[in-house]
Amino acid sequence: MNSKVPRLAVFGSVNMDLVAYVGEMPGGGETVTGTDFRQVPGGKGANQAVAAARAGARVAFLGAVGEDTFGLELRANLEAEGIDVNGLRTVPGVSGIAHIVVEGDGGNRIIVVPGANGEVSGMLESDRASLEGVDAMLLQLELPMEAVVAGARMGREAGVPVYLTPAPARELPDELLAAVDVLVPNQHEAAAITGHDEPVDALAALLERVPEVLLTLGSAGSLYGRRGEEPVAVPARKVKAVDTTAAGDTFCGSFAVARAEGRCAREAMEFAAAAAAISVGRHGASSSMATRGEVEALLKG
């Protein structure tokens, strides 16, 4: 494993999460009394950026916020994590919002209102500077598809390994997958893309379209595959989950950092599993994520 500090670029969404906690989800037309409410920075892009920064990487974030007070808060939060926000645009209108309801067992349901994220149509020429010398570029699907495709292309042109988290799940155009090096779906997203419910079958189908796949399976752990190699399975750590909102983003950001450091797939998955285990044991999205010191302490037992 090399000793240099990894550098990552994240092109994606940033939202303000409005989180309500309940014992059980309400049914249609039903009102229930919540147990707690929190306002925390989130968005899959920003979550992955924070996870990578706390895991020990230097991170540049590319995306957009609105002209509202949430936009100021979201920018300040990323800066407080030591993340480079020179590529974070401010556009007219409101910032992205996520309404999240979390059940007593940690499960959640989420409604995302894109706001400024929906105004991002592609990469700017000035964004190329943020990709110089980076070890990986992380993308998700909370920006318009044309923007995600443009980001993947620019990453490929820059010779940067491109990671894609295909969430929210939708059909993935061939032009996007042609520029992706590592696809990071969860089990439900993999099934939606391939039509296969069994993780091993879904993994095989995805590897026909991209070189590497990291399939996250929640409490069942994770499964990694690379063309021409045997799959690698790593179990999840046993932990009492209180909020699983950003578990997948924590896993992806931490895995990318570990791989950039030169760890093999299994070691990177174990590092990411430890980070995710800490995250689900706390409330919130980016606010729940572990520091590198916490992850290393857990790995040491």
Side-chain angles (χ1 to χ4, degrees), residues 38-90:
R38 303 187 185 201
Q39 177 182 304
V40 293
K44 296 193 72 62
N47 288 344
Q48 291 184 5
V50 172
R54 291 191 181 182
R58 292 171 54 195
V59 181
F61 184 79
L62 311 170
V65 293
E67 296 177 320
D68 54 0
T69 55
F70 282 165
L72 296 175
E73 292 179 47
L74 292 168
R75 182 182 294 274
N77 178 73
L78 291 169
E79 290 179 323
E81 297 287 348
I83 295 169
D84 179 352
V85 293
N86 286 328
L88 180 60
R89 319 164 198 176
T90 299

mmCIF file of all heavy atoms in Angstrom, residues 38-90:
data_model
loop_
_atom_site.group_PDB
_atom_site.id
_atom_site.type_symbol
_atom_site.label_atom_id
_atom_site.label_comp_id
_atom_site.label_asym_id
_atom_site.label_seq_id
_atom_site.Cartn_x
_atom_site.Cartn_y
_atom_site.Cartn_z
ATOM 1 N N ARG A 38 -34.449 16.269 12.552
ATOM 2 C CA ARG A 38 -33.115 16.842 12.373
ATOM 3 C C ARG A 38 -32.968 17.416 10.971
ATOM 4 O O ARG A 38 -33.533 16.896 10.023
ATOM 5 C CB ARG A 38 -32.028 15.785 12.618
ATOM 6 C CG ARG A 38 -32.135 15.152 13.993
ATOM 7 C CD ARG A 38 -31.002 14.236 14.319
ATOM 8 N NE ARG A 38 -31.247 13.596 15.608
ATOM 9 C CZ ARG A 38 -30.307 13.044 16.371
ATOM 10 N NH1 ARG A 38 -29.046 13.049 15.969
ATOM 11 N NH2 ARG A 38 -30.608 12.479 17.513
ATOM 12 N N GLN A 39 -32.192 18.476 10.880
ATOM 13 C CA GLN A 39 -31.843 19.081 9.595
ATOM 14 C C GLN A 39 -30.347 18.915 9.411
ATOM 15 O O GLN A 39 -29.560 19.486 10.159
ATOM 16 C CB GLN A 39 -32.225 20.558 9.602
ATOM 17 C CG GLN A 39 -31.839 21.298 8.329
ATOM 18 C CD GLN A 39 -32.200 22.764 8.401
ATOM 19 O OE1 GLN A 39 -33.357 23.128 8.627
ATOM 20 N NE2 GLN A 39 -31.210 23.630 8.209
ATOM 21 N N VAL A 40 -29.964 18.099 8.422
ATOM 22 C CA VAL A 40 -28.542 17.793 8.239
ATOM 23 C C VAL A 40 -28.179 17.833 6.761
ATOM 24 O O VAL A 40 -28.989 17.488 5.902
ATOM 25 C CB VAL A 40 -28.181 16.404 8.823
ATOM 26 C CG1 VAL A 40 -28.309 16.392 10.326
ATOM 27 C CG2 VAL A 40 -29.062 15.320 8.218
ATOM 28 N N PRO A 41 -26.959 18.245 6.433
ATOM 29 C CA PRO A 41 -26.521 18.244 5.032
ATOM 30 C C PRO A 41 -26.475 16.823 4.486
ATOM 31 O O PRO A 41 -26.101 15.885 5.177
ATOM 32 C CB PRO A 41 -25.116 18.852 5.109
ATOM 33 C CG PRO A 41 -25.092 19.619 6.391
ATOM 34 C CD PRO A 41 -25.944 18.820 7.329
ATOM 35 N N GLY A 42 -26.875 16.679 3.223
ATOM 36 C CA GLY A 42 -26.855 15.366 2.586
ATOM 37 C C GLY A 42 -26.746 15.492 1.073
ATOM 38 O O GLY A 42 -26.160 16.435 0.551
ATOM 39 N N GLY A 43 -27.376 14.552 0.375
ATOM 40 C CA GLY A 43 -27.211 14.432 -1.077
ATOM 41 C C GLY A 43 -26.163 13.373 -1.333
ATOM 42 O O GLY A 43 -25.116 13.347 -0.675
ATOM 43 N N LYS A 44 -26.427 12.464 -2.282
ATOM 44 C CA LYS A 44 -25.516 11.346 -2.483
ATOM 45 C C LYS A 44 -24.112 11.807 -2.847
ATOM 46 O O LYS A 44 -23.126 11.218 -2.416
ATOM 47 C CB LYS A 44 -26.063 10.394 -3.552
ATOM 48 C CG LYS A 44 -27.381 9.724 -3.165
ATOM 49 C CD LYS A 44 -27.724 8.573 -4.074
ATOM 50 C CE LYS A 44 -26.835 7.379 -3.828
ATOM 51 N NZ LYS A 44 -26.959 6.823 -2.462
ATOM 52 N N GLY A 45 -24.010 12.847 -3.653
ATOM 53 C CA GLY A 45 -22.686 13.341 -4.014
ATOM 54 C C GLY A 45 -21.936 13.880 -2.823
ATOM 55 O O GLY A 45 -20.782 13.507 -2.556
ATOM 56 N N ALA A 46 -22.583 14.772 -2.067
ATOM 57 C CA ALA A 46 -21.941 15.362 -0.899
ATOM 58 C C ALA A 46 -21.635 14.301 0.158
ATOM 59 O O ALA A 46 -20.592 14.347 0.821
ATOM 60 C CB ALA A 46 -22.828 16.455 -0.307
ATOM 61 N N ASN A 47 -22.536 13.330 0.313
ATOM 62 C CA ASN A 47 -22.292 12.260 1.279
ATOM 63 C C ASN A 47 -21.021 11.488 0.929
ATOM 64 O O ASN A 47 -20.189 11.191 1.798
ATOM 65 C CB ASN A 47 -23.469 11.285 1.308
ATOM 66 C CG ASN A 47 -24.699 11.860 1.971
ATOM 67 O OD1 ASN A 47 -24.630 12.862 2.680
ATOM 68 N ND2 ASN A 47 -25.841 11.241 1.737
ATOM 69 N N GLN A 48 -20.869 11.147 -0.344
ATOM 70 C CA GLN A 48 -19.677 10.401 -0.752
ATOM 71 C C GLN A 48 -18.419 11.251 -0.593
ATOM 72 O O GLN A 48 -17.353 10.739 -0.240
ATOM 73 C CB GLN A 48 -19.833 9.913 -2.189
ATOM 74 C CG GLN A 48 -20.897 8.833 -2.324
ATOM 75 C CD GLN A 48 -21.008 8.259 -3.727
ATOM 76 O OE1 GLN A 48 -20.235 8.592 -4.621
ATOM 77 N NE2 GLN A 48 -21.991 7.396 -3.927
ATOM 78 N N ALA A 49 -18.550 12.547 -0.837
ATOM 79 C CA ALA A 49 -17.403 13.443 -0.667
ATOM 80 C C ALA A 49 -16.973 13.506 0.795
ATOM 81 O O ALA A 49 -15.774 13.430 1.112
ATOM 82 C CB ALA A 49 -17.751 14.839 -1.174
ATOM 83 N N VAL A 50 -17.928 13.625 1.700
ATOM 84 C CA VAL A 50 -17.606 13.680 3.121
ATOM 85 C C VAL A 50 -17.022 12.349 3.591
ATOM 86 O O VAL A 50 -16.046 12.311 4.343
ATOM 87 C CB VAL A 50 -18.858 14.050 3.945
ATOM 88 C CG1 VAL A 50 -18.581 13.905 5.444
ATOM 89 C CG2 VAL A 50 -19.291 15.485 3.635
ATOM 90 N N ALA A 51 -17.616 11.242 3.132
ATOM 91 C CA ALA A 51 -17.099 9.922 3.512
ATOM 92 C C ALA A 51 -15.649 9.773 3.085
ATOM 93 O O ALA A 51 -14.804 9.289 3.853
ATOM 94 C CB ALA A 51 -17.951 8.819 2.882
ATOM 95 N N ALA A 52 -15.336 10.190 1.861
ATOM 96 C CA ALA A 52 -13.967 10.072 1.356
ATOM 97 C C ALA A 52 -13.014 10.988 2.114
ATOM 98 O O ALA A 52 -11.878 10.603 2.433
ATOM 99 C CB ALA A 52 -13.936 10.405 -0.135
ATOM 100 N N ALA A 53 -13.468 12.198 2.431
ATOM 101 C CA ALA A 53 -12.618 13.136 3.169
ATOM 102 C C ALA A 53 -12.320 12.612 4.566
ATOM 103 O O ALA A 53 -11.176 12.667 5.032
ATOM 104 C CB ALA A 53 -13.291 14.506 3.236
ATOM 105 N N ARG A 54 -13.340 12.094 5.225
ATOM 106 C CA ARG A 54 -13.121 11.576 6.584
ATOM 107 C C ARG A 54 -12.287 10.293 6.564
ATOM 108 O O ARG A 54 -11.626 9.972 7.551
ATOM 109 C CB ARG A 54 -14.463 11.335 7.274
ATOM 110 C CG ARG A 54 -15.210 12.627 7.586
ATOM 111 C CD ARG A 54 -16.405 12.404 8.489
ATOM 112 N NE ARG A 54 -17.102 13.650 8.755
ATOM 113 C CZ ARG A 54 -18.166 13.755 9.542
ATOM 114 N NH1 ARG A 54 -18.671 12.669 10.129
ATOM 115 N NH2 ARG A 54 -18.745 14.925 9.734
ATOM 116 N N ALA A 55 -12.322 9.586 5.429
ATOM 117 C CA ALA A 55 -11.512 8.366 5.298
ATOM 118 C C ALA A 55 -10.053 8.676 5.000
ATOM 119 O O ALA A 55 -9.223 7.773 4.959
ATOM 120 C CB ALA A 55 -12.078 7.465 4.214
ATOM 121 N N GLY A 56 -9.742 9.957 4.760
ATOM 122 C CA GLY A 56 -8.342 10.343 4.611
ATOM 123 C C GLY A 56 -7.939 10.910 3.274
ATOM 124 O O GLY A 56 -6.753 11.163 3.041
ATOM 125 N N ALA A 57 -8.911 11.156 2.372
ATOM 126 C CA ALA A 57 -8.581 11.664 1.039
ATOM 127 C C ALA A 57 -8.694 13.182 0.971
ATOM 128 O O ALA A 57 -9.402 13.812 1.762
ATOM 129 C CB ALA A 57 -9.506 11.050 -0.005
ATOM 130 N N ARG A 58 -7.991 13.757 0.005
ATOM 131 C CA ARG A 58 -8.217 15.142 -0.388
ATOM 132 C C ARG A 58 -9.300 15.119 -1.452
ATOM 133 O O ARG A 58 -9.177 14.401 -2.438
ATOM 134 C CB ARG A 58 -6.943 15.776 -0.931
ATOM 135 C CG ARG A 58 -5.856 15.983 0.106
ATOM 136 C CD ARG A 58 -4.550 16.411 -0.552
ATOM 137 N NE ARG A 58 -4.710 17.585 -1.406
ATOM 138 C CZ ARG A 58 -3.807 17.989 -2.304
ATOM 139 N NH1 ARG A 58 -2.703 17.286 -2.500
ATOM 140 N NH2 ARG A 58 -4.031 19.079 -3.022
ATOM 141 N N VAL A 59 -10.360 15.876 -1.249
ATOM 142 C CA VAL A 59 -11.543 15.760 -2.101
ATOM 143 C C VAL A 59 -11.918 17.109 -2.702
ATOM 144 O O VAL A 59 -11.936 18.131 -2.009
ATOM 145 C CB VAL A 59 -12.740 15.209 -1.300
ATOM 146 C CG1 VAL A 59 -13.965 15.065 -2.197
ATOM 147 C CG2 VAL A 59 -12.392 13.865 -0.664
ATOM 148 N N ALA A 60 -12.243 17.084 -3.995
ATOM 149 C CA ALA A 60 -12.808 18.241 -4.677
ATOM 150 C C ALA A 60 -14.251 17.921 -5.029
ATOM 151 O O ALA A 60 -14.534 16.843 -5.569
ATOM 152 C CB ALA A 60 -12.019 18.565 -5.943
ATOM 153 N N PHE A 61 -15.175 18.844 -4.699
ATOM 154 C CA PHE A 61 -16.587 18.604 -4.975
ATOM 155 C C PHE A 61 -17.073 19.514 -6.095
ATOM 156 O O PHE A 61 -16.848 20.730 -6.076
ATOM 157 C CB PHE A 61 -17.445 18.833 -3.736
ATOM 158 C CG PHE A 61 -18.894 18.499 -3.954
ATOM 159 C CD1 PHE A 61 -19.307 17.188 -3.935
ATOM 160 C CD2 PHE A 61 -19.824 19.492 -4.221
ATOM 161 C CE1 PHE A 61 -20.640 16.859 -4.177
ATOM 162 C CE2 PHE A 61 -21.159 19.180 -4.455
ATOM 163 C CZ PHE A 61 -21.566 17.863 -4.432
ATOM 164 N N LEU A 62 -17.779 18.914 -7.057
ATOM 165 C CA LEU A 62 -18.338 19.634 -8.196
ATOM 166 C C LEU A 62 -19.846 19.445 -8.197
ATOM 167 O O LEU A 62 -20.335 18.313 -8.148
ATOM 168 C CB LEU A 62 -17.755 19.091 -9.511
ATOM 169 C CG LEU A 62 -16.228 18.947 -9.571
ATOM 170 C CD1 LEU A 62 -15.822 18.179 -10.819
ATOM 171 C CD2 LEU A 62 -15.572 20.303 -9.535
ATOM 172 N N GLY A 63 -20.591 20.537 -8.243
ATOM 173 C CA GLY A 63 -22.042 20.450 -8.219
ATOM 174 C C GLY A 63 -22.652 21.837 -8.140
ATOM 175 O O GLY A 63 -22.038 22.811 -8.582
ATOM 176 N N ALA A 64 -23.857 21.948 -7.561
ATOM 177 C CA ALA A 64 -24.533 23.240 -7.503
ATOM 178 C C ALA A 64 -25.431 23.356 -6.285
ATOM 179 O O ALA A 64 -26.057 22.371 -5.861
ATOM 180 C CB ALA A 64 -25.355 23.473 -8.775
ATOM 181 N N VAL A 65 -25.485 24.555 -5.745
ATOM 182 C CA VAL A 65 -26.448 24.920 -4.699
ATOM 183 C C VAL A 65 -27.241 26.129 -5.178
ATOM 184 O O VAL A 65 -26.862 26.802 -6.139
ATOM 185 C CB VAL A 65 -25.755 25.248 -3.356
ATOM 186 C CG1 VAL A 65 -25.100 24.012 -2.768
ATOM 187 C CG2 VAL A 65 -24.732 26.379 -3.531
ATOM 188 N N GLY A 66 -28.348 26.420 -4.486
ATOM 189 C CA GLY A 66 -29.163 27.572 -4.839
ATOM 190 C C GLY A 66 -28.711 28.830 -4.117
ATOM 191 O O GLY A 66 -27.732 28.831 -3.364
ATOM 192 N N GLU A 67 -29.467 29.897 -4.334
ATOM 193 C CA GLU A 67 -29.143 31.183 -3.730
ATOM 194 C C GLU A 67 -29.785 31.349 -2.356
ATOM 195 O O GLU A 67 -29.745 32.436 -1.781
ATOM 196 C CB GLU A 67 -29.612 32.308 -4.655
ATOM 197 C CG GLU A 67 -28.897 32.340 -5.996
ATOM 198 C CD GLU A 67 -29.426 33.401 -6.920
ATOM 199 O OE1 GLU A 67 -30.674 33.589 -6.954
ATOM 200 O OE2 GLU A 67 -28.618 34.046 -7.616
ATOM 201 N N ASP A 68 -30.361 30.293 -1.810
ATOM 202 C CA ASP A 68 -31.049 30.366 -0.522
ATOM 203 C C ASP A 68 -30.094 30.140 0.644
ATOM 204 O O ASP A 68 -28.895 29.900 0.462
ATOM 205 C CB ASP A 68 -32.188 29.347 -0.482
ATOM 206 C CG ASP A 68 -31.732 27.927 -0.817
ATOM 207 O OD1 ASP A 68 -30.525 27.733 -1.091
ATOM 208 O OD2 ASP A 68 -32.575 27.015 -0.807
ATOM 209 N N THR A 69 -30.628 30.212 1.862
ATOM 210 C CA THR A 69 -29.792 30.011 3.050
ATOM 211 C C THR A 69 -29.278 28.580 3.134
ATOM 212 O O THR A 69 -28.186 28.339 3.646
ATOM 213 C CB THR A 69 -30.570 30.351 4.332
ATOM 214 O OG1 THR A 69 -31.785 29.577 4.375
ATOM 215 C CG2 THR A 69 -30.926 31.833 4.363
ATOM 216 N N PHE A 70 -30.047 27.615 2.635
ATOM 217 C CA PHE A 70 -29.563 26.232 2.617
ATOM 218 C C PHE A 70 -28.283 26.141 1.788
ATOM 219 O O PHE A 70 -27.352 25.409 2.127
ATOM 220 C CB PHE A 70 -30.619 25.289 2.039
ATOM 221 C CG PHE A 70 -31.726 24.928 2.984
ATOM 222 C CD1 PHE A 70 -32.898 24.353 2.511
ATOM 223 C CD2 PHE A 70 -31.610 25.153 4.354
ATOM 224 C CE1 PHE A 70 -33.924 24.005 3.385
ATOM 225 C CE2 PHE A 70 -32.636 24.822 5.235
ATOM 226 C CZ PHE A 70 -33.800 24.252 4.746
ATOM 227 N N GLY A 71 -28.237 26.874 0.674
ATOM 228 C CA GLY A 71 -27.043 26.849 -0.162
ATOM 229 C C GLY A 71 -25.811 27.314 0.582
ATOM 230 O O GLY A 71 -24.728 26.721 0.465
ATOM 231 N N LEU A 72 -25.960 28.355 1.372
ATOM 232 C CA LEU A 72 -24.838 28.860 2.172
ATOM 233 C C LEU A 72 -24.407 27.822 3.200
ATOM 234 O O LEU A 72 -23.215 27.592 3.412
ATOM 235 C CB LEU A 72 -25.240 30.156 2.878
ATOM 236 C CG LEU A 72 -25.565 31.350 1.976
ATOM 237 C CD1 LEU A 72 -26.075 32.526 2.820
ATOM 238 C CD2 LEU A 72 -24.339 31.769 1.172
ATOM 239 N N GLU A 73 -25.379 27.179 3.841
ATOM 240 C CA GLU A 73 -25.079 26.164 4.854
ATOM 241 C C GLU A 73 -24.394 24.952 4.240
ATOM 242 O O GLU A 73 -23.444 24.395 4.812
ATOM 243 C CB GLU A 73 -26.358 25.739 5.572
ATOM 244 C CG GLU A 73 -26.976 26.812 6.448
ATOM 245 C CD GLU A 73 -28.253 26.319 7.115
ATOM 246 O OE1 GLU A 73 -28.239 25.194 7.662
ATOM 247 O OE2 GLU A 73 -29.268 27.034 7.070
ATOM 248 N N LEU A 74 -24.886 24.529 3.079
ATOM 249 C CA LEU A 74 -24.314 23.348 2.428
ATOM 250 C C LEU A 74 -22.878 23.596 1.993
ATOM 251 O O LEU A 74 -22.001 22.740 2.163
ATOM 252 C CB LEU A 74 -25.177 22.954 1.224
ATOM 253 C CG LEU A 74 -26.576 22.433 1.573
ATOM 254 C CD1 LEU A 74 -27.447 22.347 0.321
ATOM 255 C CD2 LEU A 74 -26.502 21.076 2.260
ATOM 256 N N ARG A 75 -22.611 24.773 1.455
ATOM 257 C CA ARG A 75 -21.248 25.112 1.063
ATOM 258 C C ARG A 75 -20.340 25.160 2.289
ATOM 259 O O ARG A 75 -19.225 24.609 2.281
ATOM 260 C CB ARG A 75 -21.229 26.465 0.348
ATOM 261 C CG ARG A 75 -19.844 26.894 -0.147
ATOM 262 C CD ARG A 75 -19.899 28.264 -0.808
ATOM 263 N NE ARG A 75 -20.683 28.226 -2.037
ATOM 264 C CZ ARG A 75 -20.190 27.902 -3.217
ATOM 265 N NH1 ARG A 75 -18.903 27.575 -3.345
ATOM 266 N NH2 ARG A 75 -20.967 27.898 -4.295
ATOM 267 N N ALA A 76 -20.812 25.786 3.349
ATOM 268 C CA ALA A 76 -20.008 25.908 4.564
ATOM 269 C C ALA A 76 -19.713 24.550 5.176
ATOM 270 O O ALA A 76 -18.606 24.313 5.704
ATOM 271 C CB ALA A 76 -20.723 26.801 5.574
ATOM 272 N N ASN A 77 -20.678 23.619 5.097
ATOM 273 C CA ASN A 77 -20.463 22.291 5.662
ATOM 274 C C ASN A 77 -19.367 21.542 4.925
ATOM 275 O O ASN A 77 -18.503 20.898 5.543
ATOM 276 C CB ASN A 77 -21.760 21.486 5.611
ATOM 277 C CG ASN A 77 -21.598 20.078 6.146
ATOM 278 O OD1 ASN A 77 -21.464 19.860 7.342
ATOM 279 N ND2 ASN A 77 -21.588 19.098 5.255
ATOM 280 N N LEU A 78 -19.369 21.613 3.592
ATOM 281 C CA LEU A 78 -18.335 20.948 2.810
ATOM 282 C C LEU A 78 -16.959 21.559 3.107
ATOM 283 O O LEU A 78 -15.967 20.844 3.253
ATOM 284 C CB LEU A 78 -18.654 21.044 1.319
ATOM 285 C CG LEU A 78 -19.863 20.232 0.843
ATOM 286 C CD1 LEU A 78 -20.236 20.608 -0.587
ATOM 287 C CD2 LEU A 78 -19.593 18.739 0.944
ATOM 288 N N GLU A 79 -16.913 22.875 3.205
ATOM 289 C CA GLU A 79 -15.646 23.540 3.515
ATOM 290 C C GLU A 79 -15.135 23.111 4.888
ATOM 291 O O GLU A 79 -13.925 22.917 5.081
ATOM 292 C CB GLU A 79 -15.818 25.055 3.474
ATOM 293 C CG GLU A 79 -16.027 25.608 2.076
ATOM 294 C CD GLU A 79 -16.227 27.107 2.073
ATOM 295 O OE1 GLU A 79 -16.872 27.629 3.014
ATOM 296 O OE2 GLU A 79 -15.731 27.776 1.135
ATOM 297 N N ALA A 80 -16.061 22.950 5.844
ATOM 298 C CA ALA A 80 -15.667 22.543 7.197
ATOM 299 C C ALA A 80 -15.071 21.143 7.221
ATOM 300 O O ALA A 80 -14.290 20.812 8.121
ATOM 301 C CB ALA A 80 -16.880 22.601 8.132
ATOM 302 N N GLU A 81 -15.411 20.317 6.224
ATOM 303 C CA GLU A 81 -14.849 18.966 6.117
ATOM 304 C C GLU A 81 -13.511 18.976 5.382
ATOM 305 O O GLU A 81 -12.922 17.921 5.148
ATOM 306 C CB GLU A 81 -15.825 18.045 5.389
ATOM 307 C CG GLU A 81 -17.148 17.829 6.104
ATOM 308 C CD GLU A 81 -17.017 16.937 7.331
ATOM 309 O OE1 GLU A 81 -15.954 16.298 7.504
ATOM 310 O OE2 GLU A 81 -17.987 16.869 8.111
ATOM 311 N N GLY A 82 -13.048 20.160 4.987
ATOM 312 C CA GLY A 82 -11.785 20.267 4.269
ATOM 313 C C GLY A 82 -11.903 19.964 2.789
ATOM 314 O O GLY A 82 -10.897 19.704 2.121
ATOM 315 N N ILE A 83 -13.118 20.011 2.264
ATOM 316 C CA ILE A 83 -13.367 19.683 0.860
ATOM 317 C C ILE A 83 -13.230 20.941 0.001
ATOM 318 O O ILE A 83 -13.727 22.011 0.363
ATOM 319 C CB ILE A 83 -14.770 19.070 0.704
ATOM 320 C CG1 ILE A 83 -14.823 17.721 1.438
ATOM 321 C CG2 ILE A 83 -15.151 18.894 -0.760
ATOM 322 C CD1 ILE A 83 -16.214 17.144 1.572
ATOM 323 N N ASP A 84 -12.561 20.799 -1.137
ATOM 324 C CA ASP A 84 -12.388 21.891 -2.087
ATOM 325 C C ASP A 84 -13.720 22.153 -2.791
ATOM 326 O O ASP A 84 -14.256 21.275 -3.466
ATOM 327 C CB ASP A 84 -11.312 21.499 -3.108
ATOM 328 C CG ASP A 84 -11.055 22.557 -4.175
ATOM 329 O OD1 ASP A 84 -11.804 23.551 -4.244
ATOM 330 O OD2 ASP A 84 -10.105 22.379 -4.956
ATOM 331 N N VAL A 85 -14.271 23.363 -2.643
ATOM 332 C CA VAL A 85 -15.572 23.681 -3.235
ATOM 333 C C VAL A 85 -15.451 24.716 -4.359
ATOM 334 O O VAL A 85 -16.429 25.380 -4.702
ATOM 335 C CB VAL A 85 -16.563 24.178 -2.163
ATOM 336 C CG1 VAL A 85 -16.907 23.062 -1.202
ATOM 337 C CG2 VAL A 85 -16.018 25.393 -1.428
ATOM 338 N N ASN A 86 -14.284 24.828 -4.967
ATOM 339 C CA ASN A 86 -14.130 25.761 -6.084
ATOM 340 C C ASN A 86 -15.033 25.390 -7.252
ATOM 341 O O ASN A 86 -15.413 26.253 -8.048
ATOM 342 C CB ASN A 86 -12.668 25.796 -6.549
ATOM 343 C CG ASN A 86 -11.776 26.543 -5.580
ATOM 344 O OD1 ASN A 86 -12.216 27.486 -4.917
ATOM 345 N ND2 ASN A 86 -10.516 26.117 -5.473
ATOM 346 N N GLY A 87 -15.388 24.117 -7.355
ATOM 347 C CA GLY A 87 -16.267 23.667 -8.434
ATOM 348 C C GLY A 87 -17.733 23.607 -8.045
ATOM 349 O O GLY A 87 -18.555 23.085 -8.804
ATOM 350 N N LEU A 88 -18.085 24.144 -6.868
ATOM 351 C CA LEU A 88 -19.483 24.159 -6.427
ATOM 352 C C LEU A 88 -20.134 25.459 -6.891
ATOM 353 O O LEU A 88 -19.828 26.538 -6.381
ATOM 354 C CB LEU A 88 -19.566 24.032 -4.903
ATOM 355 C CG LEU A 88 -20.971 24.027 -4.300
ATOM 356 C CD1 LEU A 88 -21.794 22.849 -4.834
ATOM 357 C CD2 LEU A 88 -20.899 23.969 -2.767
ATOM 358 N N ARG A 89 -21.018 25.357 -7.869
ATOM 359 C CA ARG A 89 -21.651 26.535 -8.455
ATOM 360 C C ARG A 89 -22.829 27.011 -7.596
ATOM 361 O O ARG A 89 -23.453 26.214 -6.903
ATOM 362 C CB ARG A 89 -22.170 26.221 -9.866
ATOM 363 C CG ARG A 89 -21.234 25.379 -10.695
ATOM 364 C CD ARG A 89 -21.940 24.780 -11.908
ATOM 365 N NE ARG A 89 -21.184 23.655 -12.447
ATOM 366 C CZ ARG A 89 -21.594 22.903 -13.448
ATOM 367 N NH1 ARG A 89 -22.764 23.143 -14.015
ATOM 368 N NH2 ARG A 89 -20.850 21.899 -13.885
ATOM 369 N N THR A 90 -23.152 28.295 -7.699
ATOM 370 C CA THR A 90 -24.379 28.836 -7.126
ATOM 371 C C THR A 90 -25.274 29.263 -8.279
ATOM 372 O O THR A 90 -24.856 30.041 -9.136
ATOM 373 C CB THR A 90 -24.098 30.039 -6.212
ATOM 374 O OG1 THR A 90 -23.265 29.631 -5.124
ATOM 375 C CG2 THR A 90 -25.403 30.598 -5.646
#
